[in-house]
Amino acid sequence: MSASQAGGRKALLLGGSPKPEKSSSESLLVYLGEQLEKQGAQTETVRLIKAVRSEEATAELVAALAAADLVVLSFPLYWDALPGHVVRVFERVAAARAATTPATRPAFAVVVQGGFPEAEQNEVALQICRNFAAAAGLDWVGGLAMGGGGAIEGMPMSKAGSRVPSVVKALDMTAVALAAGDPVPDEAVRLMAKTTFPAAALRFMGNWGLRSRYKKEGDGRGLKAKPFG
Amino acid sequence: MGRSGTKTALLFDGRNDDDPTLTLLHTALVDGLTAAGWVVDDWRIRDEKMAWCSGCFGCWVRTPGECVYKDASHEGDERASRADLLVILTPVTFGGYSAEAKKALDHIIGIHLPYLKKLGEDTHHPPRYHKRHDLLAVGTVPAGQGGGVEAETFRRLVARNILNLQPGRQVNAVIESGTGEAEIRSRVRGLLADCGIRAPEPEEVSA
């Protein structure tokens, strides 16, 4: 399908971060949504921390999902997997779709970012998403995995993009592909996994950022405190 | 929790409901650990009032080692910090843990230090405490799917989790729904043995 033919494609964007602000996952999702709109897609965004609050809210999500051509989820890596509230939404969505014969099979793509520099640490989480897609009757079209997500610091990509230029390129390429009904390009996967700085530098910067934040917000016991040790 | 000299297992009971196979596994795990002299801290998560982790990292940068929430999640860091063995019991959920199990797990990252450190091949968070945490994860899948993709994903997930609990070891198993009680008890004894825990045979107990 060409881009012009794809005009008006309905994209449902799912925010998987539980944080209302300063979320790197949200920054990536917002930017990808903007690029999809530039490609002619109509976007709607649902924050899963709100959708998980009641069965009714999840039912609304299930309906929105059924009406979409494309669903994109962005989330942070927790314990090598997805945050608990996203799993709860997955459970409910899969159960709801299994209880009926869904009339549509939307495409499903994922963006995951973790604090560790190595993007491959997100692989199991991507496979869980792929398994969910199979269970929920969605058409898996690929996932982007980013390491060193802390580099974004929850800033809009208009500010953070210069820190992670390969990530911006990956999202641009992905938007073009998804809007055209194509899967996530292999080149975008490669670019997304590419960090601007070596892993050792990312660890240094990440640890420096932690100490700085502790100086501002911490309780004075020290980052290495052992309250139960 | 944790009388002096005894070892403690924190059991993350990730059951969403009273699934019969998971319930048999739960009983077998508690019985096996108890018979081996362990204290079982049985955390039935679905009964708890606990918010989803908000990703605030307060347990790392505001009150290090302790969740900033004052609900059941606040106890999670303490319970996990005192445990020698973390046991996760869960329906295999798309290859991962159930939402119930994951809700509690997300709240105990305070047992790690926030620092990024190269441990082995990759970057991980070093342990906050000197205590070693082993990990036993037991999941169930529908009958006939023990060799399926979700079971394989689950095994990969547990293997990755232990990299953040170094130097602990991990043992995992995927049990098919409908497995009988005798086989479940036998499998659990084997799993505990793999964790270095010898649960007496039933005949030893009765003798």
Side-chain angles (χ1 to χ4, degrees), chain A residues 79-80 84 118 203 207 213 225, chain B residues 56 105-106 116 123 128 161:
Chain A
W79 277 92
D80 304 296
E118 303 88 8
R203 286 191 288 269
N207 292 339
R213 197 171 156 194
Chain B
C56 70
L105 285 168
D106 288 347
L116 299 170
T123 304
R128 181 176 298 276
N161 283 167

Side-chain angles (χ1 to χ4, degrees), chain A residues 44-136:
Chain A
E44 175 187 357
T45 302
V46 174
R47 269 83 192 184
L48 298 187
I49 197 65
K50 292 183 178 175
V52 79
R53 286 179 185 161
S54 67
E55 298 280 357
E56 292 74 22
T58 309
E60 288 176 15
L61 170 63
V62 171
L65 189 144
D69 302 300
L70 167 68
V71 180
V72 181
L73 166 68
S74 178
F75 66 95
L77 189 73
Y78 283 15
W79 277 92
D80 304 296
L82 298 89
H85 74 281
V86 180
V87 180
R88 173 54 47 80
V89 171
F90 274 14
E91 290 171 346
R92 288 181 182 165
V93 169
R97 288 179 64 82
T100 61
T101 305
T104 61
R105 188 178 174 87
F108 183 52
V110 163
V111 178
V112 54
Q113 61 83 23
F116 299 135
E118 303 88 8
E120 58 270 24
Q121 295 210 44
N122 297 294
E123 284 178 4
V124 173
L126 285 179
Q127 184 62 48
I128 290 171
C129 293
R130 190 171 188 155
N131 296 343
F132 161 71

Side-chain angles (χ1 to χ4, degrees), chain B residues 5-195:
Chain B
T6 59
K7 291 202 167 186
T8 299
L10 174 56
L11 200 169
F12 293 86
D13 179 354
R15 286 181 288 171
N16 295 318
D17 52 33
D18 292 324
D19 174 84
T21 308
L22 281 162
T23 301
L24 286 172
L25 280 163
H26 178 266
T27 303
L29 284 163
V30 172
D31 288 352
L33 285 161
T34 304
W38 282 57
V39 171
V40 181
D41 181 8
D42 191 359
W43 195 359
R44 188 173 155 117
I45 300 156
R46 68 177 150 143
D47 289 348
E48 299 278 18
K49 182 174 173 55
M50 191 190 318
W52 303 104
C53 173
S54 69
C56 70
F57 294 139
C59 59
W60 275 348
V61 297
R62 287 184 209 149
T63 55
E66 295 182 76
C67 180
V68 297
Y69 286 3
K70 300 303 179 190
D71 59 13
S73 58
H74 190 78
E75 302 170 10
D77 283 310
E78 179 173 10
R79 295 166 81 166
S81 70
R82 300 201 188 291
D84 302 277
L85 175 67
L86 305 177
V87 183
I88 303 172
L89 177 65
T90 178
V92 173
T93 305
F94 315 114
Y97 305 126
S98 68
E100 293 295 339
K102 198 64 182 24
K103 179 192 282 185
L105 285 168
D106 288 347
H107 279 295
I108 65 156
I109 62 166
I111 65 170
H112 304 299
L113 292 171
Y115 298 116
L116 299 170
K117 185 175 181 181
K118 189 172 183 186
L119 297 171
E121 296 294 312
D122 296 325
T123 304
H124 298 286
H125 299 296
R128 181 176 298 276
Y129 299 96
H130 296 301
K131 180 184 281 288
R132 162 182 164 147
H133 300 286
D134 289 337
L135 175 63
L136 168 60
V138 184
T140 57
V141 293
Q145 294 186 19
V149 65
E150 290 198 13
E152 173 58 22
T153 307
F154 183 78
R155 295 186 185 97
R156 287 175 58 201
L157 173 62
V158 183
R160 283 225 65 90
N161 283 167
I162 200 63
L163 298 176
N164 275 315
L165 290 168
Q166 295 182 46
R169 65 181 148 187
Q170 65 90 11
V171 173
N172 70 75
V174 176
I175 310 287
E176 293 188 7
S177 288
T179 301
E181 181 175 3
E183 184 177 344
I184 281 178
R185 287 192 173 273
S186 174
R187 290 285 301 274
V188 166
R189 272 196 300 278
L191 293 169
L192 294 178
D194 290 343
C195 294

Side-chain angles (χ1 to χ4, degrees), chain A residues 117-177:
Chain A
E118 303 88 8
E120 58 270 24
Q121 295 210 44
N122 297 294
E123 284 178 4
V124 173
L126 285 179
Q127 184 62 48
I128 290 171
C129 293
R130 190 171 188 155
N131 296 343
F132 161 71
L138 306 175
D139 185 16
W140 174 256
V141 292
L144 296 174
M146 176 189 181
I152 298 174
E153 286 190 295
M155 294 188 293
M157 293 304 286
S158 56
K159 290 185 177 176
S162 58
R163 296 181 178 187
V164 287
S166 62
V167 168
V168 172
K169 283 183 193 170
L171 294 172
D172 289 347
M173 291 176 66
T174 298
V176 171

